[in-house]
Amino acid sequence: MLAETICSAVSVAGLGIAAVTAYRKRFLAAARITAYALVPVALVMTGFVEWVSGMVFNPTVWAGFGLLGLSWLLFMTTRAIERRGLPASGESGKPAKKVKGTSAAGAVAPTASAPSLGTTRAGSQAEPAAPTEDFSDIEAILKKHGI
């Protein structure tokens, strides 16, 4: 009952402001203010205000919102722990599961990714090639500029 009275008073005040605005020959602004002023009365007439006030002042509804917040907090906490790859309390002896986006250490042999530089005999190692480029002129330019 109080909410309906407040909404009616807000609408009457808005219509008064719209009348003053129309008197000053600002009809477009007056029409916009009138539209805003009619919204509270429309919400009262549709029953929306009664529904919202019944929901806001009901402790059971607030307990439900609290439970929703708690479930969201638990969900986000478990997701964060899962992404970090930390084992859960009951899984301390087991290895951590591979989580999408994490690197798997030792999955590929270190020499498997090395490029092949030609054919070599079995048992012999390819010697690293000596640098063929001379960087002395680059070093001289850098020294000249004090770098």
Side-chain angles (χ1 to χ4, degrees):
M1 181 77 171
L2 179 64
E4 290 85 358
T5 306
I6 292 171
C7 287
S8 299
V10 167
S11 289
V12 168
L15 290 173
I17 293 170
V20 170
T21 306
Y23 179 76
R24 293 181 180 175
K25 305 224 188 250
R26 298 184 61 206
F27 298 111
L28 186 62
R32 191 176 302 123
I33 292 170
T34 303
Y36 282 122
L38 293 176
V39 170
V41 170
L43 290 175
V44 168
M45 293 174 87
T46 59
F48 183 75
V49 172
E50 184 180 337
W51 177 73
V52 169
S53 64
M55 184 178 68
V56 168
F57 297 117
N58 190 350
T60 306
V61 173
W62 285 105
F65 281 124
L67 288 176
L68 279 174
L70 177 65
S71 67
W72 178 81
L73 181 69
L74 287 171
F75 178 70
M76 296 310 285
T77 303
T78 56
R79 295 260 315 189
I81 290 172
E82 184 181 43
R83 284 188 179 170
R84 290 180 186 256
L86 299 176
S89 60
E91 302 174 359
S92 60
K94 299 179 184 176
K97 292 182 180 179
K98 181 173 177 354
V99 179
K100 182 179 179 183
T102 59
S103 63
V108 178
T111 58
S113 63
S116 155
L117 298 176
T119 58
T120 59
R121 293 184 184 165
S124 67
Q125 295 290 331
E127 296 181 13
T132 57
E133 297 180 14
D134 186 22
F135 293 109
S136 60
D137 30 329
I138 295 174
E139 290 176 5
I141 293 170
L142 291 174
K143 286 180 184 177
K144 179 181 175 183
H145 291 286
I147 299 176

